Amino acid sequence: MRNVKNSIKKRFMILAMVVIMLTGTATTGYVETVQADTTVYITRTGSKYHTHKCGNGTYFTASRSSAISMGLTPCQKCFPYGDSSSSSSSDSFNHTNNTSNSTQPVVKKMKINKSSLELVKGQTATLKVSHAPGSVKWSSADSSIVAVSSSGKLRAKAKGKVVITVTSGNQQLQCKVMVEEPKLNKTELTMNLKETANLKLSGCKHSVKWSSGDSDIVKVSNGKLTAKEVGKTVVKAKVHGKTYSCKVTVKKPDIKSITVGENNIVMECIDYQSVYIKLNPSYAEDYYDVTVTSSDSSIVSAELLDGWNERYVELYSKNIPGQAVITVTAGGKSASFTVNVIDESVMDEEEEVLMEAG
């Protein structure tokens, strides 16, 4: 019976409050108390008062002190740390001066350090929240794309998009994460000197920072490589803080051919003569040893000499008439020419005999 009376009394008080708030027919002192007191939300049948419309139902506004006087208690969701001013508000409501000095604790909104994030596969990042009203719980909409730990640490596992959610009390925030999976089209590359090539980082829409470990060997600009010197280096592409590498080797240029100045040479005994030689391409000379040999050095010997921007073979004929083949070799290529050594005194005698016979 008492419970029924209390319920009727509670409903009557709520209706009275609604009428007072709508018509403004309350006494002057009471109106001043409502104006000075903190506003809360209540329902006709509930046993709690709230800071907002918390849940389903029809809510009415009232002062906190009047809600307390009706026997209502603070909602645990709205007041996670309790309503420390509830007792002082109740006393203030019954105080003769009708003035309330109580203040409601300020409940700050929870904040997350990032609402969107871009990662590459294999990369990690950490999300943080501030002003959480209670314990924090993290979850991933798809942990096969991004996994999240209980401390908010993310690990990108596969290409795709996913939403990370953090919950604390009745508050919830989200962070949208996009995972990219960049791939370099080549991880190893062999180039010829002065040759160009292109590297491409696919699977990523963002700008890439390119660099060469030794720009004297390979120069790189927007993924375009230029082989400048023989050697080895590493070209790198960096995006989202992650680096992708390609090992580049610049090899020695292949010699296409060797050209000699003359193919058939006639020399007298005890004489010398120079024959110029040329490697094609000419810049290959800096990377190969050139050798010169004679098929019969007792007739003609040969020596390689360097001149001004050119090379030549110096021939030395001996005091023995005859024939020798001179061969120039470099980089697997070779070229040969013939040298005939004659005795000039014998030629003069033969010429005299022919002249007399004529």
Side-chain angles (χ1 to χ4, degrees):
M1 189 67 177
R2 179 178 294 180
N3 291 335
V4 174
K5 289 182 178 180
N6 288 337
S7 177
I8 294 172
K9 179 181 179 182
K10 185 186 295 184
R11 293 186 181 185
F12 175 79
M13 288 294 292
I14 293 172
L15 290 174
M17 285 298 302
V18 172
V19 172
I20 290 171
M21 296 297 290
L22 293 175
T23 62
T25 57
T27 63
T28 302
Y30 185 74
V31 171
E32 290 176 351
T33 301
V34 172
Q35 291 175 344
D37 206 354
T38 302
T39 300
V40 295
Y41 290 80
I42 62 176
T43 63
R44 289 190 177 91
T45 58
S47 61
K48 307 287 184 181
Y49 62 89
H50 312 266
T51 60
H52 62 290
K53 294 182 180 181
C54 178
N56 299 323
T58 302
Y59 286 79
F60 300 93
T61 57
S63 67
R64 182 201 287 111
S65 54
S66 62
I68 295 172
S69 67
M70 288 186 287
L72 303 182
T73 57
C75 169
Q76 291 183 353
K77 290 183 179 180
C78 298
F79 300 89
Y81 303 106
D83 188 359
S84 58
S85 302
S86 59
S87 58
S88 61
S89 298
S90 178
D91 294 339
S92 178
F93 179 79
N94 295 318
H95 204 273
T96 56
N97 61 9
N98 295 321
T99 302
S100 174
N101 296 321
S102 63
T103 58
Q104 179 184 356
V106 177
V107 179
K108 294 183 178 180
K109 290 185 178 180
M110 183 170 64
K111 294 183 179 180
I112 190 169
N113 61 332
K114 291 183 182 295
S115 59
S116 63
L117 189 61
E118 296 172 351
L119 300 173
V120 296
K121 182 180 176 181
Q123 198 174 23
T124 61
T126 301
L127 294 177
K128 297 180 180 180
V129 292
S130 56
H131 308 310
S135 59
V136 175
K137 182 180 179 181
W138 296 91
S139 63
S140 171
D142 191 341
S143 57
S144 65
I145 297 176
V146 176
V148 59
S149 70
S150 58
S151 61
K153 184 176 181 180
L154 310 181
R155 181 164 58 90
K157 300 173 67 177
K159 182 179 179 180
K161 296 180 180 180
V162 70
V163 175
I164 304 300
T165 303
V166 57
T167 304
S168 181
N170 65 337
Q171 298 187 49
Q172 191 176 83
L173 295 173
Q174 293 181 331
C175 175
K176 297 178 181 179
V177 183
M178 181 176 71
V179 179
E180 295 183 328
E181 190 176 357
K183 290 184 179 179
L184 201 59
N185 60 332
K186 294 180 181 179
T187 57
E188 291 188 10
L189 181 63
T190 299
M191 302 178 65
N192 293 316
L193 190 64
K194 300 186 182 300
E195 185 182 17
T196 60
N198 289 286
L199 289 179
K200 184 178 180 181
L201 191 70
S202 60
C204 180
K205 298 179 181 179
H206 298 79
S207 59
V208 180
K209 183 179 180 180
W210 295 92
S211 63
S212 173
D214 191 336
S215 56
D216 290 334
I217 296 175
V218 175
K219 180 182 177 181
V220 59
S221 177
N222 295 324
K224 182 179 180 180
L225 312 184
T226 303
K228 301 180 66 178
E229 184 58 81
V230 173
K232 295 181 179 181
T233 189
V234 177
V235 174
K236 297 179 179 179
K238 188 175 182 179
V239 63
H240 291 317
K242 192 168 182 179
T243 303
Y244 302 83
S245 302
C246 177
K247 297 178 181 178
V248 183
T249 300
V250 180
K251 67 177 185 177
K252 294 191 296 184
D254 295 329
I255 295 177
K256 297 179 180 180
S257 63
I258 300 175
T259 303
V260 296
E262 298 180 55
N263 291 323
N264 292 291
I265 300 173
V266 178
M267 297 179 65
E268 297 178 357
C269 291
I270 315 300
D271 196 7
Y272 69 91
Q273 185 171 335
S274 298
V275 179
Y276 292 100
I277 63 171
K278 182 180 180 181
L279 273 61
N280 182 28
S282 59
Y283 56 81
E285 296 179 1
D286 297 331
Y287 304 98
Y288 292 95
D289 293 328
V290 180
T291 60
V292 179
T293 59
S294 172
S295 62
D296 193 340
S297 57
S298 64
I299 297 175
V300 178
S301 63
E303 182 181 359
L304 179 70
L305 297 177
D306 290 323
W308 182 254
N309 290 331
E310 56 189 7
R311 285 181 173 180
Y312 60 93
V313 177
E314 190 77 357
L315 304 173
Y316 300 94
S317 61
K318 304 299 175 65
N319 196 25
I320 304 174
Q323 186 182 77
V325 176
I326 308 301
T327 302
V328 181
T329 304
K333 298 290 184 178
S334 62
S336 301
F337 58 91
T338 303
V339 178
N340 290 290
V341 178
I342 60 174
D343 189 340
E344 187 177 1
S345 60
V346 173
M347 288 184 63
D348 291 342
E349 290 179 358
E350 290 179 352
E351 288 179 358
E352 289 178 1
V353 170
L354 291 173
M355 289 178 64
E356 290 176 356

